[in-house]
């Protein structure tokens, strides 16, 4: 059974930094492309960043490019999202997701590419 668990959310002031972590068990983590999504109240879920299983391709949403950095440690089965220069509009529930199957290409705009989701971790940025 696949389990995806996010952690690291919290309350931070605008301009501050936060690092989210995601662990995935029940799958061969190093063979799965991973991603971060977020959903603010009253808004649709949107892709934030994704990374291929071997780190060869990384994609960012335009709204976070230059401020957020995605990384992975396959030895620790862990995905990270380093967030700098946080803005109130970054306030959302952040979700970690794993691809539907091993070694598949993914893009942020195709949510159906991702088959395993965590419960989310809340990030709140105060102004």
């Amino acid at each position: 059974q696949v389990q995806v668990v996010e952690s690291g959310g919290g309350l931070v002031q605008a301009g501050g930094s936060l690092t989210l972590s995601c662990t995935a068990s029940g799958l061969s983590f190093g063979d799965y492309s991973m991603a971060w999504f977020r959903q603010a109240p009253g808004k649709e879920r949107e892709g934030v960043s994704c990374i291929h299983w071997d780190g060869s391709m990384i994609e960012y949403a335009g709204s976070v490019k230059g401020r957020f950095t995605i990384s992975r440690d396959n030895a620790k089965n862990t995905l990270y999202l380093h967030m700098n220069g946080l803005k109130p509009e970054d306030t959302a529930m952040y979700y970690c997701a794993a691809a539907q199957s091993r070694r598949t290409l993914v893009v942020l705009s195709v949510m159906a590419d991702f088959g395993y989701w965590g419960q989310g971790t809340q990030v709140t940025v105060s102004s």
Side-chain angles (χ1 to χ4, degrees):
Q1 183 181 356
V2 177
Q3 282 194 315
V4 178
V5 180
E6 305 94 337
S7 62
L11 174 64
V12 63
Q13 287 189 331
S17 300
L18 210 56
T19 294
L20 305 183
S21 300
C22 166
T23 58
S25 59
L27 51 72
S28 179
F29 183 82
D31 286 335
Y32 281 78
S33 298
M34 301 290 295
W36 290 99
F37 289 80
R38 68 185 181 186
Q39 188 168 19
K43 294 189 176 181
E44 292 187 351
R45 192 171 297 191
E46 63 175 358
V48 175
S49 182
C50 64
I51 183 169
H52 279 180
W53 67 92
D54 59 359
S56 62
M57 195 287 290
I58 290 175
E59 182 185 358
Y60 293 100
S63 58
V64 307
K65 196 173 293 185
R67 299 187 298 123
F68 291 11
T69 302
I70 192 171
S71 64
R72 64 189 298 159
D73 186 338
N74 288 344
K76 295 182 178 180
N77 288 2
T78 303
L79 177 75
Y80 302 98
L81 185 68
H82 308 278
M83 304 183 293
N84 297 315
L86 283 162
K87 305 175 181 179
E89 51 263 43
D90 294 317
T91 294
M93 185 72 79
Y94 282 71
Y95 298 92
C96 175
Q100 286 275 12
S101 54
R102 297 171 65 246
R103 301 197 178 192
T104 54
L105 303 180
V106 296
V107 292
L108 280 178
S109 59
V110 182
M111 211 170 294
D113 282 351
F114 301 91
Y116 305 100
W117 295 80
Q119 294 299 306
T121 185
Q122 178 68 38
V123 172
T124 303
V125 184
S126 62
S127 57

